[in-house]
Amino acid sequence: MDVLYFAWLRERIGHPRERIETEAVTVRDLVAQLAAMDDWHASALSDLKAVRVAVDQELTDLDAPLAGAREIAFFPPMTGG
């Protein structure tokens, strides 16, 4: 699946996207797998309260299932005005 990173997550990890082979069942499982990859991922994903996630372009939570998902995006919360 494709994993996309936006804003400061992209800066901390060092690239905007990567292709991941995973057997993760939920987004939370995927986050654990990514954080175990290296210090950059671990740092970027260390405070999950500061991270939003979308599965196939739909906002969801960390317990969302990944079955059939093609794209996961991580980004900071947005503010508007």
Side-chain angles (χ1 to χ4, degrees):
M1 83 179 46
D2 290 321
V3 180
L4 298 105
Y5 307 102
F6 294 92
W8 57 262
L9 290 151
R10 177 184 61 235
E11 293 169 11
R12 287 186 188 174
I13 290 172
H15 47 268
R17 71 180 324 140
E18 59 191 331
R19 185 111 176 119
I20 299 290
E21 296 294 326
T22 187
E23 293 185 20
V25 175
T26 66
V27 173
R28 190 179 306 276
D29 297 336
L30 178 62
V31 167
Q33 177 184 343
L34 293 169
M37 289 173 54
D38 55 48
D39 291 341
W40 296 284
H41 286 83
S43 173
L45 299 169
S46 65
D47 181 6
L48 296 179
K49 292 176 189 165
V51 176
R52 298 290 310 255
V53 63
V55 175
D56 291 334
Q57 300 183 4
E58 290 198 27
L59 288 175
T60 191
D61 61 38
L62 294 172
D63 295 315
L66 292 179
R70 295 181 315 240
E71 177 186 277
I72 310 300
F74 293 100
F75 51 92
M78 315 271 191
T79 59

